[in-house]
Amino acid sequence: DADVTQTPRNRITKTGKRIMLECSQTKGHDRMYWYRQDPGLGLRLIYYSFDVKDINKGEISDGYSVSRQAQAKFSLSLESAIPNQTALYFCATSDHGGRGNQPQHFGDGTRLSIL
Amino acid sequence: GESVGLHLPTLSVQEGDNSIINCAYSNSASDYFIWYKQESGKGPQFIIDIRSNMDKRQGQRVTVLLNKTVKHLSLQIAATQPGDSAVYFCAESTGFQKLVFGTGTRLLVSP
């Protein structure tokens, strides 16, 4: 979905480095999410945000942090990367839930490899 | 291409056949369900959703069926095309828009 843009698309780095993944959206959605995808495990929620400055932990938040300084941007940081954080990372957005659950819309992902 | 699952269940069909992809969900309190399609190198793409007050919903060439009694969800694709080849994920939510994803099914469509 071109309305949700992730940068970089690919990154190779070394253990111990600090990494930041960026997500921006032009959909005007309030809600943003970060997921991790590993083979055989589907997508797992890392953090989510329902509004600017709102931050909530997901299923696997340890080792990660996020920042939501603007409605359109949600960044994910790995303060000290470790090899088992090698994965595909996806950002998603959704409209607010005033009318019930709404579909989440995903970017095309960042492939992160930690050596 | 990108591998999103090395040992996914796989459904192989011929072009023109109807496909049925099944999903068992875990939480009887889930009230929202959604199907995504993921092609190699891309993010999940929304296909269709259904709320728990319904048992069937139709889209263009796709139908989702929900059986709450046995906690089962299915995606039916009519007249499957080679472009339908992808990994398909179901996801459930109990509210607050936190989706829990299944592990996916790979659909292979032969010409």
Side-chain angles (χ1 to χ4, degrees):
Chain A
D1 190 328
D3 298 325
V4 183
T5 303
Q6 293 184 235
T7 56
R9 290 297 316 277
N10 293 280
R11 179 77 184 269
I12 301 173
T13 191
K14 294 182 179 179
T15 298
K17 294 291 187 181
R18 183 178 187 273
I19 306 298
M20 180 179 286
L21 309 184
E22 305 273 8
C23 178
S24 63
Q25 53 115 347
T26 58
K27 299 181 81 69
H29 288 166
D30 294 326
R31 302 184 172 193
M32 298 186 74
Y33 311 80
W34 275 105
Y35 289 89
R36 167 180 173 154
Q37 186 175 42
D38 297 275
L41 293 178
L43 283 86
R44 293 181 291 166
L45 183 63
I46 306 173
Y47 272 97
Y48 61 102
S49 168
F50 284 175
D51 204 346
V52 176
K53 302 292 178 73
D54 176 67
I55 301 294
N56 304 280
K57 291 184 177 181
E59 179 186 353
I60 52 163
S61 58
D62 287 350
Y64 302 95
S65 62
V66 290
S67 175
R68 183 91 184 273
Q69 297 294 327
Q71 188 202 41
K73 297 183 184 296
F74 193 34
S75 60
L76 175 72
S77 294
L78 289 67
E79 295 301 325
S80 179
I82 55 178
N84 74 3
Q85 291 177 312
T86 294
L88 276 169
Y89 289 85
F90 288 101
C91 174
T93 75
S94 69
D95 202 354
H96 65 80
R99 293 171 288 128
N101 273 302
Q102 300 298 318
Q104 293 181 20
H105 300 270
F106 286 80
D108 282 336
T110 295
R111 189 202 309 203
L112 179 61
S113 298
I114 300 163
L115 307 178
Chain B
E2 188 65 63
S3 171
V4 299
L6 297 179
H7 303 292
L8 290 174
T10 298
L11 174 65
S12 296
V13 301
Q14 294 284 107
E15 181 178 1
D17 288 350
N18 296 332
S19 301
I20 300 176
I21 300 171
N22 295 303
C23 177
Y25 65 92
S26 58
N27 191 339
S28 57
S30 292
D31 58 4
Y32 178 73
F33 305 88
I34 190 166
W35 281 99
Y36 285 94
K37 172 186 181 183
Q38 187 174 23
E39 296 174 282
S40 181
K42 297 284 187 75
Q45 176 187 357
F46 167 71
I47 301 173
I48 192 167
D49 59 1
I50 188 168
R51 304 185 194 281
S52 59
N53 61 351
M54 303 173 70
D55 53 22
K56 179 179 180 179
R57 191 171 187 215
Q58 290 184 284
Q60 187 176 12
R61 278 202 309 119
V62 296
T63 301
V64 55
L65 299 177
L66 174 63
N67 185 331
K68 295 181 286 294
T69 302
V70 295
K71 293 190 288 187
H72 184 266
L73 192 67
S74 68
L75 177 71
Q76 300 178 2
I77 304 174
T80 314
Q81 303 167 359
D84 294 326
S85 293
V87 176
Y88 289 80
F89 292 95
C90 66
E92 60 183 298
S93 175
T94 54
F96 305 106
Q97 297 198 269
K98 287 173 63 178
L99 290 176
V100 176
F101 283 80
T103 54
T105 297
R106 188 183 309 277
L107 176 65
L108 295 176
V109 183
S110 305

